[in-house]
Amino acid sequence: MIKIPNKEFLTRIENLRELMRDQDLQACLIYGDEYRKENLRYMGNYWPLFERGAVIVPLSGDPIILAAPEGEMFCREMSVWPDVRLLPEFNCVTVPDHIEYPLAHYTSLTAISKQLQDSHSLHKLGVAGIDAIPVPLMNIIESSFEGIAIVDAADLLFKLRMNKSANEIACLQEAARIADAGYKLMIEQVRPGMTELELASLAYGECTRQGAEHMPFCLITSGDRVKTIIGRPSSKVIEEGDMILAAIAVQVEGYIATVNFPFVAGTMTEEQKAFIDVLVEAEESGLARIKAGAKQSDVVRAVKDCFQKHGMTQYDLYPPLHGCGLAEAESPYPDENSAAIFTAGMTVNTDVSLFGHPHGSNRIEESLLVTDNGYESMSKLVRHLSKTWRTIREISVN
């Protein structure tokens, strides 16, 4: 079974503490909930359901996991850290009502603050996730740590998460394998007359059967709906000759790989083939510039130059590359002016896209590992489709 071993979480804690010392932080509070889980999952392997969560990392001693009573046992089941404490402010996020939990043994942030002040001479607290913390909860954090300087520590987590370990890469590769299986099934079984929801169900079912922990999204639009750029599958009936814009993201142990390649229900027109030709050419041009030490902006320019050559710049809406990992899209997200360079162990997604063109809207997306010599694609399916496209120029199902 692919997973992140406990010893790697210990290494992450020590790496964070090194950065904390550089910024004179005596503790760091890392927030997460069902929707913004990445940093909390990275440091504590906890992914809250319905509720809020956090991990407090002091400069020494065991981290403290903050949770809510309904999910306490679930938290203990997931978390690598045994010190779990309950806060009423972390209860169900979707209702304003006060919920009684008569068996809960609550603590308070004030009590935790006092403990940290006594044991670590706390005078400066880093908080990662300030952008996701609700204002009322942030007010409680500030009042509980009164007299303590609170600073945004999000950059520490982004820095730690940028390059991936062998175990993280293995999780992403497994997620990509599963995504390939679900996407391949949709290509093979799409038929005019089925609904977008029916098509999506094939991917959901296959990816779950293959071991996906979660599918953050399954985007499907068809026909005129592809102009929406992104869209959830609907009850729209897929018609003969409809271009399908689909993308599925699969999560394994928190790590997310994404697959997207254009296909058509029924017979593909020459205009649709020519449109996909440009996407394939643009992605291949960008891929040729990915390797450790290369400028990320060169990839962006290569794709944009290809679109310009074919007179499609007006349909190019955003940069064609972003990071991937515990979020489907994470740093880096370079543009033409980015000074950042690729480093070995970085994981990224291509997202080579054209939207609003008369003959379709679509993208090619695959997750990649940056290496010293270039890149390794995690999607055997997308690589196969791209490499064979020029010869077969047909993915339609007749």
Side-chain angles (χ1 to χ4, degrees):
M1 178 180 177
I2 296 174
K3 64 179 297 182
I4 306 297
N6 286 0
K7 65 180 180 181
E8 187 158 320
F9 287 97
L10 287 168
T11 299
R12 293 175 182 181
I13 291 292
E14 291 309 312
N15 290 340
L16 175 61
R17 284 172 171 162
E18 184 175 341
L19 297 178
M20 289 165 57
R21 292 185 188 98
D22 291 342
Q23 298 195 15
D24 190 31
L25 301 176
Q26 291 74 51
C28 194
L29 185 152
I30 298 143
Y31 173 82
D33 55 35
E34 185 174 357
Y35 313 102
R36 293 295 301 276
K37 63 188 184 300
E38 301 87 10
N39 289 334
L40 178 56
R41 190 85 190 259
Y42 184 78
M43 298 307 306
N45 202 35
Y46 178 39
W47 176 21
L49 184 64
F50 307 133
E51 302 166 329
R52 308 187 197 284
V55 56
I56 296 179
V57 180
L59 274 178
S60 62
D62 291 337
I64 301 167
I65 293 286
L66 306 180
E70 188 171 356
E72 178 183 0
M73 298 313 297
F74 175 51
C75 175
R76 294 184 183 280
E77 178 184 65
M78 283 197 73
S79 172
V80 295
W81 311 117
D83 188 353
V84 176
R85 307 187 194 183
L86 308 183
L87 295 176
E89 296 86 2
F90 278 28
N91 289 344
C92 183
V93 303
T94 58
V95 298
D97 311 65
H98 174 73
I99 303 174
E100 292 287 346
Y101 291 100
L103 301 181
H105 297 285
Y106 288 122
T107 186
S108 69
L109 282 171
T110 301
I112 294 172
S113 173
K114 185 177 185 306
Q115 174 188 340
L116 293 173
Q117 291 180 61
D118 291 345
S119 58
H120 292 86
S121 301
L122 177 65
H123 61 266
K124 191 175 180 182
L125 172 72
V127 177
I130 289 177
D131 59 328
I133 298 174
V135 171
L137 178 56
M138 193 64 209
N139 290 339
I140 292 170
I141 293 172
E142 290 172 344
S143 63
S144 299
F145 289 87
E146 185 176 4
I148 306 300
I150 296 178
V151 299
D152 190 343
D155 62 317
L156 276 62
L157 273 297
F158 285 126
K159 185 178 297 184
L160 291 174
R161 287 169 47 198
M162 186 71 73
N163 287 65
K164 307 302 190 290
S165 70
N167 291 310
E168 292 176 289
I169 292 166
C171 290
L172 283 166
Q173 290 171 332
E174 176 65 1
R177 182 195 68 78
I178 294 170
D180 278 357
Y183 207 89
K184 183 172 183 287
L185 190 64
M186 289 197 300
I187 291 176
E188 292 172 344
Q189 297 197 18
V190 64
R191 296 288 186 278
M194 71 193 318
T195 68
E196 293 171 349
L197 283 166
E198 288 174 317
L199 183 60
S201 73
L202 299 176
Y204 278 111
E206 183 64 15
C207 291
T208 301
R209 188 183 72 81
Q210 295 262 355
E213 174 185 65
H214 177 58
M215 287 184 67
F217 60 74
C218 177
L219 309 180
I220 293 181
T221 57
S222 63
D224 286 342
R225 285 197 74 226
V226 297
K227 297 175 183 177
T228 61
I229 303 178
I230 59 172
R232 302 182 193 280
S234 73
S235 58
K236 176 193 174 296
V237 174
I238 296 171
E239 299 179 7
E240 168 67 31
D242 273 357
M243 178 170 280
I244 310 297
L245 195 167
I248 58 176
V250 168
Q251 178 175 307
V252 170
E253 290 296 303
Y255 290 83
I256 302 167
T258 309
V259 170
N260 187 177
F261 197 92
F263 60 103
V264 168
T267 303
M268 191 178 297
T269 67
E270 290 303 314
E271 291 82 5
Q272 289 171 330
K273 293 175 184 178
F275 172 81
I276 298 172
D277 282 347
V278 176
L279 287 174
V280 171
E281 180 184 338
E283 196 208 18
E284 293 301 322
S285 179
L287 288 173
R289 289 158 176 81
I290 296 178
K291 70 174 182 177
K295 290 183 179 180
Q296 296 171 16
S297 57
D298 287 348
V299 175
V300 180
R301 289 195 185 96
V303 172
K304 290 184 175 294
D305 287 348
C306 181
F307 289 157
Q308 184 177 37
K309 179 180 74 172
H310 290 281
M312 292 190 177
T313 297
Q314 70 188 94
Y315 310 113
D316 174 21
L317 301 187
Y318 55 75
L321 185 81
H322 59 74
C324 67
L326 285 164
E328 191 276 335
E330 61 182 40
S331 296
Y333 210 135
D335 60 20
E336 293 172 279
N337 302 310
S338 174
I341 63 170
F342 291 108
T343 57
M346 184 179 289
T347 53
V348 297
N349 280 5
T350 55
D351 191 346
V352 179
S353 313
L354 291 169
F355 296 106
H357 188 273
H359 300 301
S361 296
N362 227 302
R363 62 169 68 86
I364 299 176
E365 187 164 8
E366 58 185 308
S367 299
L368 311 166
L369 169 65
V370 178
T371 69
D372 288 325
N373 299 317
Y375 69 90
E376 295 175 9
S377 177
M378 300 184 198
S379 173
K380 293 182 180 179
L381 176 65
V382 174
R383 281 296 84 222
H384 170 74
L385 294 173
S386 291
K387 288 179 179 179
T388 59
W389 173 253
R390 293 293 183 188
T391 55
I392 60 173
R393 291 183 90 244
E394 185 68 54
I395 309 171
S396 58
V397 178
N398 298 307

